[in-house]
Amino acid sequence: MAKYPGANPPGDAGLDELRTAVQGCRGCDLYRDATQAVFGDGPENGRVMFIGEQPGDQEDKAGEPFVGPAGRLLDKALVEAGIDRATAYVTNAVKHFKFQRDARGKRRIHQKPNRSEVVACRPWLVAELGAVRPDLVVCLGATAAQSVLGAAFRLTAHRGELLELPEEFPLPARVLATQHPSAVLRAPDREAAYAALVQDLKVAAAALSRAG
């Protein structure tokens, strides 16, 4: 019996096969209300993989990750940090949009995925890492960081540090955790929060340069 019923990526699959297969995932209940599963996007040999929390409203509708305001801010920060966006693969720890509707039932308001939902979706993330095999993994936000580095990981204590990817993942790579761009957009001092994000991404850029 599968460890996560319904979350069973095909073994040794490429990104196209995984992207098709994830639409049938029933590993948790989030698929019931989401428009579709939103898989990662980018080159199959991307040197750096960015992992966010989950798709937002715009991403759920478009079927692509990081196409909303947070994605545009990330693109801007990558330019300032000196990371070529064309070398980056972007994805999320959770592939379905979790939300609740506002009082009028029209707007879909983001809800943070719980631990069981993150764990249920983890096989897809492991499969993506195995297919892309990046030199560096950048976790955007606490949910992504804990999905990769474990529930005990604290972003506030280790933000911007270069760490080793845990042995359970199918490749040797470094990993760095930083703030999610959406948190920058919500920050009281957005300018300072953005500058801190760019600084962390510069650490990532330097690591990529050293890796060749």
Side-chain angles (χ1 to χ4, degrees):
M1 183 174 179
K3 187 175 181 181
Y4 307 113
N8 298 310
D12 297 322
L15 292 178
D16 289 342
E17 187 177 353
L18 291 170
R19 190 172 289 110
T20 298
V22 75
Q23 297 304 327
C25 183
R26 302 295 183 264
C28 71
D29 287 337
L30 294 185
Y31 78 92
R32 297 180 185 276
D33 296 320
T35 304
Q36 60 197 314
V38 180
F39 203 64
D41 184 62
E44 188 148 2
N45 59 349
R47 293 198 62 215
V48 55
M49 179 184 285
F50 290 91
I51 303 171
E53 178 188 271
Q54 66 167 347
D57 181 73
Q58 292 186 35
E59 288 81 3
D60 173 71
K61 293 172 182 174
E64 298 178 23
F66 287 92
V67 296
R72 292 191 290 273
L73 187 140
L74 176 61
D75 287 347
K76 178 184 175 185
L78 290 176
V79 171
E80 290 196 32
I83 295 176
D84 182 357
R85 179 66 174 78
T87 69
Y89 182 91
V90 293
T91 191
N92 286 294
V94 173
K95 309 306 185 194
H96 287 102
F97 179 35
K98 183 177 182 179
F99 63 91
Q100 63 181 6
R101 294 195 179 273
D102 66 8
R104 295 182 300 171
K106 294 184 177 180
R107 286 186 61 232
R108 302 192 301 175
I109 301 170
H110 164 276
Q111 282 191 302
K112 182 178 179 178
N114 62 38
R115 183 63 186 167
S116 65
E117 291 158 349
V118 173
V119 170
C121 211
R122 206 160 183 258
W124 296 106
L125 186 60
V126 173
E128 280 179 294
L129 280 162
V132 179
R133 302 191 66 81
D135 295 322
L136 178 68
V137 176
V138 178
C139 298
L140 301 169
T143 297
Q146 290 175 356
S147 176
V148 173
L149 294 164
F153 181 84
R154 293 294 173 264
L155 182 60
T156 51
H158 300 286
R159 175 179 177 168
E161 296 180 15
L162 279 172
L163 306 169
E164 296 295 329
L165 195 66
E167 292 182 359
E168 65 193 275
F169 288 95
L171 72 158
R174 308 298 296 279
V175 58
L176 178 146
T178 186
Q179 197 169 22
H180 195 287
S182 63
V184 174
L185 293 172
R186 297 191 304 267
D189 188 343
R190 188 182 296 186
E191 186 174 331
Y194 177 75
L197 172 63
V198 171
Q199 183 56 44
D200 289 343
L201 294 179
K202 286 181 177 179
V203 174
L208 287 169
S209 178
R210 289 193 297 271

